[in-house]
C-alpha cells in the first residue's frame, strides 16, 4: 500500500555538535562568561607556579603590607609575600580539593541514588533516612566536628566535602530514577526479560547523566565555598600553604591597615564561585531544557 | 469596514512568527465569516495552524507573533488595528474563550461561583450581589446539578465534565457576541463529550452567539457545527455548509481526513482505511504550487506550478482544488476492500485469563495510622477473557474502568491479586520477573505514549535489536538483517535505524515501538491505546499497519482503546468493561447491534460519527464513573443506567445472558425486552453511509 507516513522525508540537519554548542552559547552570555572564568582558573591552576613572579612563601619583611604596585600587582601580606603569586599557586589547592570532594560526592551519591530509587522498599527507606539525618545537621558544623576528630589535612577535607554532599546528589539521582522507572521503555525492557542490572545500567543510567552533570557542577561551586570556609576557620590546608580561605582568615587582623590583603583572595573565591554557578546554570539550560531538578 | 451582518469577519488574514530563521507565515490569507447563532467548525491536524488562527482572531498572539496582513472584525469593529488596551475592553465582554484543559483554565484557589461572578463584575459592571446571582443563573443554564453547592466548591472537587460546564458558563456569563472553543471536549471521555456537545448545541439554539469551534475530530464537527472550514498548513482547503462539505468533499484533503476515520459499520477485513501519505509541511518548507500537492493522489503538473485558486463549488461552498470537478464525479472514493485471508476456522487458544482480580491497597493519608480496616481499590474485579490465534480482542470502557490494569496484569507488569493466566495451555506466574524467557517472548506490549516508550538515549535500531538478542538468541549478523527487515515491515526507511527518538515524529516512534514488539515474534501483543495520542491520518496508517502485520504473523492483539470506532475497525471480538468488570462480550458485529447492554448502548450513542445525516439515539449517562473504592452494590452500573428497572438493580448482581455465537450480556433486563427497547439501534442508521 502506498500509504505511509514517510513519503516526504524530513531534511536531516547536519550541524556538528560543537558548532551547535557554540551557537547556543552565543544566546546565553552568562554561560559564556561562566565557562570562560572556569577555563581561566583551570589554566591558572595548571601553569600558575610558572607565571608567578615570586615564590609563594618567599618572605620580605621590609616589604610588609605593601599596597598594589608595579612590583607586587596585588600588593604584599604581613610577611611581605607576594599576594598575586600566592593566589596563583593557591588555585591548585582549591580546585583540587573541591574537585576531588565533588567527585567523591557525585560518585557515591550516584550509586546510592540509583540503587535506592531502583530497588525501593525498605532499602530505599533506610538509605534515605540516613541521608535525612546527615542533611539535618548544619553542614559547616558537621564539617568542623569531623575535622576536629580527624585532624586538618587535604585528604580529610576532601573526605568531609564528599561526605557532606552525598545526600544532595543521592536525592537528585533518586528522584530522577523514580520518574524514569515508570517510563514505558523500562517496562518494555522488563517485558523482554532484561536483568535488573541491565535496566539500571543501560536504560536508566544514560538518562540520569544529564541531571547528574548539572548537579555535579552545582555541587562544585558549593564545594569551593565550603573548602574556603574551612580554610578560613583554620581547619583546612595549613600554613604556609597559600590557601585562599586561609589567606582571608589571616588577613582579617590587618584589614584596617591593608584592605588588599583580604580583598584579592576573597575576590578570587567569589569570582570562581560565580563562574562555576553561571556554568552550571548554562549546563542546566542546555542539558535539561524545561526540566526541573530537586536541588536537595 | 461594512457591517455585513456577520459577527466575525476574518478577511485575508496572515499571521507571521518571528523566529531565529526569519519570519514564518504560519497562517496565510485565511478568510472566514461567522453569522450570529452559527457554529463554525475549524478542523485540522496538529501543526495546521488552528490555534494560531484562533489566537490571532482574539489578538492574543505570543510576543513573536504578528498579524501581517488582512483584517479581523467583530460586528464591524476592526480588531486588527486596535491597541492592546482597547482589545482588553473587548475581551471578556464581547468575545470569550473556552479552553481545552479545564484544569489549567480554572483558578484552583478560587471558588467556582466567585470565578464566574468576577467575570461579570469586571465586564458588565454588576454589583457583588448581582454578580453572585448571575453566576448561579449561569450554572443553572449549563444544567449543573445543584448549582448552589457547586458555586461554593473548588476546581479539584469537580469532575472534568463539570469543569468544562463551568468554563462554558464563564464564557457565556457576559452575553458575548462571539466565543472561541478550542478543543473543548478533547480531554473528556466519549460519554461526557456527548453530554457537553448536546449542551453547547442547546445553548446555541437559545442564544444568538457566534462560535468558532476548533477541533481535530470530524465526528464532533458533524454533530454540532453548521459550517466547516478545513485548515491545512495555515490555509483553508475547503469551506462550506456542513452537509455540502461532508457529502461532496470537494477537496482531496477533506476526502483524505474523512477516509482516515474508522467506520462503525465495517471492520478491517472489509475495508482498510485510506491513510494520507506524508506529513503536513512545516511553514518554512512549504512546497511550490498547491501546498497539499506532495500528498495528493490527484496531483498533476499544473498543481505543482502555481497555488490553485479558491473557487466557489456550490452555494456558499469553497474549495482550493483545481481538480474539484473530478472529485465531484467520483462522489465517493471506492473503499479499498481487502480480501479475507483467514477463513472461519478457529485458531488455537492463545490466552485464557480466568477470574482476574487486581486490588490496590489504598491508605487514606494520616487517618490510616489508626484506621484498622484498610480499604482496597478494586481496579479489576473478576474478569475472564479467552483469545485465539490471529484474533483481536478489543477492550472498551471509560477512563478509570480498569482496561489498562487488566492488560498490565496479563503482561505481568502488575501482579494480579487472584485469578489464572494461561498462555497456550501453560499457567503463567503473576509477575513478569518470574516468567521464563520462552513465555516473555510470547507476550509483548505497545504502549500509549510514544514519547515515553522509547529510550531517548538509544538509537531506534538498538531498541528493536534487544529483543532479538535476548529472546531469539540471534548473532550480530542475523540481528542486523532482522532489524532491517522489521524496519521495512513497519515501513520506516533504513536510515532511521540510527536515529535517536527525538528525531522521529510521534507516528514514527510508535512504528519503532511496534517493530520492537514484533521483534520477539509474540503470540500475544497487548496494545494499550497505541493510537490515541496521534493525529487521525497517522492513526489510520498505524491501524492499517497493525492489520497487515497480523495477517502475516498470526499474532493475537489485545487492543485497548476508548475510541469505539477504532476498536470496531480493528477487533474481531469486543469486551465492554465498566468498574473493573465485564458487562458484554461478543463478536464486533454483534456488540454493535441490539440487543446490547445499556452501558454499551450509551457508549455507542456517544460516538461522534463524521456524518451529519446520522441521527444517533440520544442515550446520555449522568455524572462520571463512581470511584473503584466505593463500588455500588447490585449492578455496578445502576447509578448511571438509563434503563434501570427498579430495586432489583440496586440489590442483586445481574445474571449473564447468553445469545448465539458466544455473545453474552450481563443485565437484569431480558434480552427480548432489551431488543425491543433499543429498536434498530445505531448500525441501521449508520448503514446509510454505505449506500450513498
Amino acid at each position: 500500500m502506498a500509504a505511509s507516513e514517510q513519503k516526504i522525508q524530513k531534511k536531516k540537519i547536519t550541524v556538528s555538535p560543537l558548532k551547535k554548542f557554540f551557537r547556543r552559547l552565543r544566546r546565553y552570555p552568562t554561560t559564556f562568561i561562566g565557562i570562560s572564568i572556569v577555563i581561566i582558573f583551570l589554566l591558572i591552576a595548571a601553569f600558575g607556579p610558572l607565571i608567578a613572579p615570586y615564590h609563594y612563601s618567599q618572605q620580605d619583611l621590609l616589604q610588609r603590607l605593601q599596597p598594589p604596585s608595579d612590583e607586587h600587582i596585588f600588593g604584599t601580606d604581613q610577611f611581605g609575600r607576594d599576594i598575586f603569586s600566592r593566589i596563583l599557586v593557591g588555585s591548585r589547592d582549591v580546585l583540587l580539593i573541591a574537585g576531588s570532594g565533588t567527585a567523591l560526592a557525585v560518585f557515591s551519591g550516584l550509586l546510592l541514588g540509583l540503587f535506592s530509587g531502583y530497588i525501593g522498599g525498605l532499602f530505599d527507606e533506610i538509605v534515605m533516612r540516613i541521608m535525612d539525618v546527615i542533611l539535618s545537621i548544619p553542614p559547616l558544623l558537621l564539617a568542623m566536628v569531623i575535622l576536629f576528630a580527624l585532624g586538618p589535612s587535604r585528604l580529610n577535607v576532601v573526605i568531609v566535602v564528599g561526605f557532606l554532599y552525598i545526600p544532595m546528589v543521592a536525592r537528585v539521582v533518586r528522584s530522577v530514577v523514580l520518574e524514569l522507572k515508570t517510563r514505558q521503555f523500562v517496562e518494555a525492557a522488563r517485558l523482554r526479560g532484561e536483568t535488573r542490572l541491565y535496566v539500571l545500567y543501560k536504560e536508566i543510567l544514560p538518562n540520569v547523566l544529564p541531571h547528574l552533570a548539572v548537579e555535579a557542577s552545582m555541587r562544585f561551586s558549593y564545594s569551593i565555598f565550603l573548602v574556603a570556609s574551612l580554610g578560613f576557620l583554620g581547619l583546612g590546608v595549613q600554613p604556609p600553604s597559600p590557601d585562599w580561605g586561609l589567606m582571608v582568615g589571616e588577613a582579617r587582623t590587618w584589614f584596617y591597615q591593608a584592605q588588599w590583603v583580604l580583598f584579592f583572595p576573597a575576590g578570587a573565591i567569589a569570582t570562581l564561585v560565580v563562574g562555576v554557578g553561571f556554568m552550571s546554570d548554562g549546563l542546566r539550560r542546555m542539558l535539561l531544557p524545561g526540566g526541573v531538578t530537586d536541588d536537595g | 469596514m461594512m457591517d455585513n451582518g456577520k459577527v466575525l469577519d476574518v478577511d485575508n488574514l496572515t499571521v507571521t512568527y518571528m523566529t531565529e530563521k526569519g519570519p514564518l507565515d504560519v497562517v496565510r490569507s485565511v478568510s472566514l465569516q461567522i453569522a450570529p447563532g452559527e457554529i463554525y467548525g475549524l478542523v485540522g491536524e496538529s501543526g495546521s495552524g488552528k490555534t494560531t488562527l484562533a489566537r490571532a482572531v482574539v489578538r492574543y498572539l505570543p510576543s513573536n507573533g504578528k498579524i501581517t496582513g488582512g483584517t479581523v472584525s467583530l460586528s464591524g469593529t476592526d480588531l486588527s488595528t486596535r491597541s492592546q488596551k482597547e482589545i482588553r475592553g473587548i475581551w471578556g465582554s464581547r468575545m470569550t474563550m473556552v479552553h481545552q484543559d479545564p484544569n489549567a483554565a480554572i483558578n484552583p484557589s478560587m471558588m467556582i461561583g466567585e470565578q464566574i461572578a468576577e467575570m461579570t463584575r469586571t465586564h458588565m459592571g454588576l454589583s457583588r450581589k448581582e454578580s453572585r446571582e448571575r453566576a448561579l443563573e449561569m450554572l443553572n443554564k449549563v444544567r449543573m446539578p445543584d448549582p448552589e453547592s457547586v458555586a461554593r466548591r473548588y476546581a479539584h472537587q469537580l469532575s472534568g465534565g463539570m469543569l468544562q460546564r463551568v468554563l462554558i458558563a464563564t464564557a457565556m456569563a457576559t452575553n458575548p457576541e462571539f466565543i472561541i472553543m478550542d478543543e473543548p471536549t478533547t480531554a473528556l471521555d466519549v460519554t461526557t463529550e456527548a453530554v457537553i456537545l448536546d449542551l453547547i448545541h442547546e445553548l446555541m439554539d437559545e442564544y444568538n452567539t457566534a462560535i468558532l469551534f476548533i477541533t481535530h475530530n470530524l465526528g464532533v464537527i458533524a454533530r454540532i457545527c453548521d459550517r466547516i472550514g478545513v485548515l491545512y498548513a495555515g490555509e483553508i482547503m475547503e469551506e462550506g455548509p456542513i452537509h455540502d462539505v461532508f457529502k461532496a468533499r470537494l477537496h482531496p484533503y477533506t476526502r483524505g481526513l474523512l477516509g482516515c476515520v474508522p467506520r462503525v459499520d465495517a471492520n478491517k477485513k472489509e475495508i482498510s482505511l485510506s491513510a494520507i501519505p506524508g506529513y503536513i509541511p512545516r511553514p518554512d518548507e512549504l512546497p511550490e504550487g498547491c501546498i497539499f500537492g506532495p500528498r495528493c493522489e490527484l496531483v498533476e503538473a499544473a498543481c505543482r506550478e502555481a497555488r490553485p485558486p479558491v473557487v466557489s463549488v456550490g452555494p456558499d461552498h469553497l474549495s482550493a482544488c483545481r481538480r474539484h470537478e473530478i472529485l465531484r464525479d467520483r462522489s465517493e472514493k471506492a473503499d479499498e476492500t481487502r480480501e479475507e485471508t483467514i477463513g472461519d476456522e478457529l485458531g488455537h487458544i492463545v490466552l485464557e485469563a480466568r477470574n482476574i482480580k487486581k486490588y490496590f491497597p489504598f491508605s487514606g493519608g494520616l487517618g490510616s495510622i489508626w484506621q484498622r480496616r484498610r480499604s482496597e481499590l478494586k481496579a479489576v474485579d473478576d474478569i475472564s477473557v479467552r483469545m485465539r490465534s490471529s484474533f483481536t480482542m478489543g477492550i472498551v470502557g471509560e477512563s478509570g474502568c480498569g482496561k489498562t490494569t487488566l492488560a498490565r496484569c496479563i503482561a505481568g507488569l502488575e501482579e494480579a491479586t487472584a485469578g489464572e493466566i494461561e498462555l497456550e495451555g501453560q499457567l503463567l506466574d503473576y509477575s513478569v520477573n518470574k516468567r521464563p524467557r520462552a513465555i516473555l517472548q510470547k507476550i509483548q506490549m505497545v504502549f500509549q505514549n510514544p514519547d515515553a516508550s522509547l529510550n531517548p538515549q538509544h538509537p531506534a535500531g538498538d531498541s528493536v535489536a534487544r529483543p532479538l538478542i535476548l529472546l531469539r538468541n540471534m548473532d550480530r549478523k542475523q540481528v542486523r538483517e532482522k532489524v532491517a527487515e522489521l524496519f521495512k515491515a513497519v515501513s520506516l526507511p533504513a536510515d532511521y535505524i540510527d536515529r535517536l527518538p527525538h528525531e522521529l515524529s510521534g507516528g514514527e516512534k510508535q512504528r519503532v515501538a511496534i517493530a520492537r514488539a514484533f521483534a520477539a515474534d509474540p503470540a500475544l501483543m497487548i496494545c494499550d491505546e497505541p493510537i490515541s495520542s496521534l493525529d487521525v491520518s497517522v492513526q489510520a496508517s498505524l491501524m492499517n499497519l497493525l492489520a497487515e502485520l497480523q495477517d502475516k504473523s498470526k499474532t493475537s492483539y489485545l487492543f485497548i482503546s476508548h475510541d469505539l470506532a477504532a476498536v470496531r475497525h480493528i477487533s474481531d471480538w469486543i469486551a465492554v468493561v465498566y468498574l473493573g468488570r465485564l458487562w458484554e462480550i461478543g463478536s464486533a458485529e454483534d456488540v454493535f447491534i441490539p440487543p446490547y447492554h445499556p452501558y454499551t448502548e450509551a457508549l455507542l450513542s456517544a460516538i461522534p460519527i463524521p456524518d451529519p445525516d446520522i441521527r444517533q439515539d440520544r442515550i446520555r449517562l449522568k455524572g462520571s464513573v463512581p470511584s473503584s473504592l466505593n463500588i455500588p452494590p447490585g449492578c455496578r452500573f445502576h447509578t448511571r443506567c438509563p434503563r434501570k428497572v427498579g430495586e432489583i438493580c440496586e440489590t442483586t448482581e445481574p445474571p449473564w445472558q447468553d445469545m448465539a455465537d458466544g455473545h453474552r450480556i450481563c443485565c437484569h433486563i431480558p434480552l427480548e425486552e432489551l431488543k425491543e427497547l433499543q429498536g434498530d439501534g445505531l448500525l441501521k442508521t449508520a448503514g446509510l453511509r454505505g449506500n450513498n
Side-chain angles (χ1 to χ4, degrees):
Chain A
M1 190 167 42
S4 76
E5 303 157 41
Q6 289 74 42
K7 255 199 167 164
I8 307 166
Q9 292 220 359
K10 279 187 262 171
K11 247 193 278 168
K12 197 156 184 189
I13 314 141
T14 45
V15 182
S16 75
L18 204 69
K19 224 175 177 178
K20 235 182 181 166
F21 174 77
F22 279 112
R23 201 187 288 166
R24 275 194 196 170
L25 213 55
R26 260 212 310 251
R27 259 192 290 159
Y28 302 112
T30 51
T31 312
F32 182 73
I33 294 171
I35 291 178
S36 310
I37 291 175
V38 173
I39 290 176
I40 290 170
F41 272 94
L42 284 175
L43 288 175
I44 288 175
F47 303 111
L50 297 179
I51 39 177
Y54 301 89
H55 189 263
Y56 68 86
S57 58
Q58 183 190 324
Q59 301 190 1
D60 185 351
L61 292 175
L62 293 174
Q63 298 281 325
R64 287 179 73 226
L65 299 175
Q66 291 294 310
S69 63
D70 284 349
E71 268 164 81
H72 302 280
I73 54 172
F74 284 179
T76 58
D77 67 5
Q78 67 277 20
F79 299 115
R81 296 175 296 195
D82 182 46
I83 294 177
F84 181 61
S85 304
R86 287 177 66 77
I87 286 179
L88 288 187
V89 176
S91 64
R92 264 188 191 185
D93 268 342
V94 174
L95 287 173
L96 214 66
I97 294 174
S100 331
T102 310
L104 183 67
V106 165
F107 184 73
S108 337
L110 172 67
L111 282 185
L112 278 174
L114 270 182
F115 284 103
S116 184
Y118 190 59
I119 296 171
L122 192 64
F123 178 74
D124 178 38
E125 202 63 35
I126 292 171
V127 171
M128 290 330 283
R129 292 301 78 78
I130 294 174
M131 297 293 123
D132 285 349
V133 169
I134 300 176
L135 279 175
S136 67
I137 305 169
L140 202 56
L141 196 68
L142 187 59
M144 282 164 64
V145 170
I146 300 172
L147 280 175
F148 275 133
L150 296 178
S153 80
R154 284 188 175 82
L155 181 67
N156 290 346
V157 175
V158 169
I159 293 172
V160 164
V161 170
F163 178 73
L164 279 180
Y165 288 148
I166 287 175
M168 281 85 159
V169 180
R171 267 170 59 156
V172 170
V173 171
R174 174 175 170 272
S175 73
V176 177
V177 172
L178 284 182
E179 201 265 317
L180 287 169
K181 207 164 71 160
T182 61
R183 293 272 191 97
Q184 278 134 20
F185 58 81
V186 173
E187 303 202 318
R190 287 176 62 200
L191 279 176
R192 61 174 185 260
E194 299 284 9
T195 59
R196 306 187 83 175
L197 267 180
Y198 176 92
V199 173
L200 197 57
Y201 183 65
K202 284 281 199 179
E203 303 280 351
I204 290 181
L205 182 62
N207 292 296
V208 173
L209 291 181
H211 295 264
L212 191 70
V214 172
E215 179 62 20
S217 67
M218 236 169 57
R219 283 302 133 219
F220 185 45
S221 82
Y222 284 100
S223 301
I224 294 167
F225 207 75
L226 184 64
V227 169
S229 308
L230 291 172
F232 177 84
L233 294 171
L235 290 167
V237 181
Q238 292 304 302
S241 294
D243 179 75
W244 295 351
L246 188 63
M247 285 161 77
V248 175
E250 288 175 343
R252 267 181 316 165
T253 333
W254 315 97
F255 183 67
Y256 288 105
Q257 288 144 283
Q259 292 77 20
W260 58 90
V261 185
L262 185 135
F263 177 78
F264 285 107
I269 296 168
T271 315
L272 183 57
V273 169
V274 168
V276 175
F278 279 167
M279 185 182 74
S280 97
D281 244 20
L283 273 180
R284 180 194 300 274
R285 259 191 299 242
M286 277 187 244
L287 296 175
L288 311 171
V292 188
T293 37
D294 170 11
D295 288 350
Chain B
M1 173 98 13
M2 284 281 292
D3 192 345
N4 52 6
K6 302 285 187 191
V7 175
L8 183 78
D9 188 345
V10 176
D11 186 37
N12 223 2
L13 182 74
T14 299
V15 183
T16 309
Y17 282 125
M18 305 309 280
T19 67
E20 274 175 57
K21 291 173 194 151
L24 276 186
D25 296 343
V26 180
V27 170
R28 292 173 306 279
S29 311
V30 168
S31 300
L32 58 90
Q33 285 90 33
I34 307 179
E38 188 177 54
I39 306 184
Y40 185 102
L42 189 67
V43 71
E45 293 176 271
S46 49
S48 61
K50 304 187 291 275
T51 305
T52 302
L53 177 59
R55 287 178 153 228
V57 166
V58 298
R59 288 285 308 280
Y60 196 67
L61 285 166
S63 59
N64 63 337
K66 242 173 94 182
I67 295 179
T68 46
T71 54
V72 178
S73 49
L74 186 68
S75 307
T77 322
D78 188 352
L79 299 181
S80 44
T81 54
R82 298 287 151 133
S83 69
Q84 280 298 319
K85 203 173 160 194
E86 286 171 289
I87 290 287
R88 219 168 291 142
I90 294 172
W91 280 341
S93 58
R94 291 181 61 192
M95 57 184 183
T96 53
M97 195 153 176
V98 176
H99 293 271
Q100 173 172 0
D101 183 1
N103 284 311
I106 291 178
N107 185 342
S109 63
M110 202 190 258
M111 280 191 279
I112 298 295
E114 173 55 21
Q115 203 128 204
I116 306 174
E118 185 193 40
M119 183 96 172
T120 60
R121 277 205 304 278
T122 336
H123 294 292
M124 296 166 81
L126 297 184
S127 70
R128 235 160 223 290
K129 189 159 164 281
E130 284 167 334
S131 71
R132 213 166 298 138
E133 279 161 14
R134 176 78 182 157
L136 284 181
E137 187 192 332
M138 287 320 296
L139 286 174
N140 251 322
K141 277 262 154 55
V142 295
R143 326 229 183 310
M144 185 70 83
D146 196 7
E148 299 265 344
S149 95
V150 167
R152 280 194 304 274
R153 279 193 248 174
Y154 292 94
H156 69 271
Q157 295 167 303
L158 302 180
S159 70
M162 281 167 70
L163 287 177
Q164 203 61 54
R165 277 178 218 230
V166 171
L167 277 191
I168 293 171
T170 317
M172 300 197 61
T174 53
N175 278 327
E177 301 155 50
F178 173 59
I179 302 178
I180 291 190
M181 300 196 173
D182 187 2
E183 308 249 11
T185 58
T186 307
L188 306 173
D189 262 319
V190 228
T191 48
T192 323
E193 174 179 78
V195 176
I196 296 289
L197 290 180
D198 287 351
L199 174 71
I200 295 175
H201 206 133
E202 283 163 32
L203 288 174
M204 289 318 112
D205 283 348
E206 232 172 283
Y207 291 79
N208 220 15
T209 318
I211 292 186
L212 179 63
F213 194 99
I214 298 171
T215 179
H216 65 276
N217 189 332
L218 285 155
V220 169
I221 293 227
R223 186 173 281 168
I224 72 161
C225 294
D226 304 309
R227 263 149 53 82
I228 173 177
V230 181
L231 197 66
Y232 177 77
E235 288 174 36
I236 289 200
M237 295 286 105
E238 186 172 359
E239 187 201 49
I242 192 97
H243 287 267
D244 299 354
V245 173
F246 274 79
K247 287 298 152 197
R249 314 169 176 194
L250 293 180
H251 194 282
Y253 181 58
T254 319
R255 224 158 252 233
L257 275 183
L258 283 164
C260 289
V261 184
R263 288 165 41 167
V264 283
D265 56 346
N267 74 357
K268 62 177 184 225
K269 293 196 181 115
E270 294 149 44
I271 54 164
S272 68
L273 302 170
S274 46
I276 313 172
Y279 295 106
I280 282 196
R282 297 218 318 254
D284 55 336
E285 293 170 349
L286 290 180
E288 292 273 307
C290 175
I291 49 169
F292 187 62
R295 302 173 72 185
C296 180
E297 48 178 0
L298 292 175
V299 68
E300 53 179 16
C303 299
R304 295 211 179 85
E305 276 155 23
R307 285 281 154 90
V310 178
V311 286
S312 172
V313 290
D316 215 12
H317 186 176
L318 303 169
S319 167
C321 181
R322 66 173 77 245
R323 308 198 68 195
H324 59 89
E325 290 302 331
I326 292 172
L327 285 170
R328 196 189 294 275
D329 297 339
R330 263 208 273 176
S331 68
E332 176 111 24
K333 187 183 142 202
D335 280 308
E336 233 177 292
T337 39
R338 289 160 52 96
E339 60 227 73
E340 223 169 301
T341 44
I342 356 159
D344 279 336
E345 77 208 75
L346 296 172
H348 65 285
I349 291 179
V350 173
L351 174 81
E352 170 111 52
R354 279 184 296 265
N355 310 93
I356 303 292
K357 288 181 186 170
K358 175 67 190 173
Y359 298 167
F360 293 99
F362 184 87
S363 55
L366 269 181
S368 58
I369 294 176
W370 57 76
Q371 209 165 25
R372 281 264 149 240
R373 193 177 55 85
R374 277 207 314 183
S375 45
E376 272 169 331
L377 195 147
K378 298 178 176 173
V380 173
D381 198 9
D382 200 0
I383 290 185
S384 307
V385 285
R386 178 194 288 163
M387 292 175 63
R388 293 178 184 279
S389 68
S390 197
F391 172 93
T392 304
M393 168 83 84
I395 296 191
V396 294
E398 289 166 281
S399 51
C401 65
K403 308 184 292 277
T404 298
T405 311
L406 172 67
R408 292 171 61 85
C409 284
I410 292 171
L413 290 173
E414 214 69 82
E415 287 183 43
T417 313
E420 283 175 349
I421 308 164
E422 223 172 68
L423 190 81
E424 294 182 333
Q426 211 179 336
L427 204 62
L428 300 191
D429 205 289
Y430 287 154
S431 162
V432 71
N433 299 338
K434 291 183 195 146
R435 293 180 185 175
R437 289 245 158 118
I439 297 289
L440 291 175
Q441 178 253 317
K442 286 182 186 149
I443 304 184
Q444 287 296 309
M445 197 159 169
V446 176
F447 301 92
Q448 173 171 14
N449 182 353
D451 297 318
S453 67
L454 297 180
N455 191 326
Q457 308 282 346
H458 293 181
D462 289 11
S463 297
V464 179
R466 273 312 287 185
L468 296 173
I469 302 166
L470 211 63
L471 298 173
R472 296 174 75 185
N473 299 318
M474 292 190 177
D475 62 36
R476 245 163 212 270
K477 193 164 154 271
Q478 283 172 307
V479 166
R480 209 174 312 127
E481 281 165 15
K482 186 75 193 173
V483 168
E485 193 184 304
L486 283 162
F487 268 69
K488 215 171 146 201
V490 296
S491 18
L492 286 176
D495 64 312
Y496 275 46
I497 292 174
D498 300 318
R499 290 208 185 171
L500 285 172
H502 71 85
E503 297 172 293
L504 308 177
S505 72
E508 286 165 349
K509 280 182 214 164
Q510 211 58 315
R511 275 169 195 268
V512 175
I514 291 171
R516 175 177 65 191
F518 268 102
D521 192 19
L524 171 68
M525 196 159 101
I526 297 168
C527 307
D528 185 8
E529 307 243 14
I531 55 170
S532 44
S533 62
L534 304 167
D535 265 322
V536 267
S537 66
V538 182
Q539 285 190 354
S541 68
L542 279 179
M543 278 198 278
N544 284 341
L545 174 70
L546 284 171
E548 224 174 280
L549 291 170
Q550 187 170 46
D551 269 359
K552 279 184 224 151
S553 65
K554 306 274 177 269
T555 301
S556 297
Y557 295 155
L558 188 67
F559 190 90
I560 296 167
S561 180
H562 62 268
D563 179 351
L564 272 95
V567 168
R568 169 77 176 93
H569 177 80
I570 206 159
S571 310
D572 301 297
W573 279 64
I574 291 178
V576 182
V577 182
Y578 181 77
L579 274 182
R581 198 167 275 189
L582 282 185
W583 299 96
E584 176 164 7
I585 187 163
S587 71
E589 296 87 51
D590 289 345
V591 169
F592 271 57
I593 49 173
Y596 24 62
H597 190 275
Y599 180 58
T600 318
E601 188 184 8
L603 287 178
L604 288 178
S605 77
I607 306 178
I609 297 174
D611 186 337
D613 286 341
I614 288 183
R615 291 171 313 274
Q616 280 164 277
D617 294 332
R618 299 223 319 191
I619 311 284
R620 298 292 182 253
L621 295 183
K622 281 170 282 172
S624 48
V625 187
S627 152
S628 312
L629 279 169
N630 273 319
I631 291 177
C635 174
R636 295 172 181 211
F637 186 51
H638 82 254
T639 51
R640 301 170 74 201
C641 184
R643 301 207 183 275
K644 185 176 153 188
V645 283
E647 212 170 289
I648 185 168
C649 295
E650 290 166 30
T651 52
T652 323
E653 289 206 10
W656 276 102
Q657 306 186 61
D658 286 295
M659 264 176 293
D661 304 323
H663 183 194
R664 304 172 77 207
I665 292 175
C666 183
C667 185
H668 284 298
I669 309 175
L671 295 176
E672 284 73 39
E673 212 179 312
L674 264 179
K675 192 161 184 174
E676 215 165 282
L677 284 169
Q678 289 161 344
D680 292 333
L682 166 91
L683 245 176
K684 185 87 178 290
T685 34
L688 289 172
R689 279 182 74 210
N691 311 330
N692 111 71

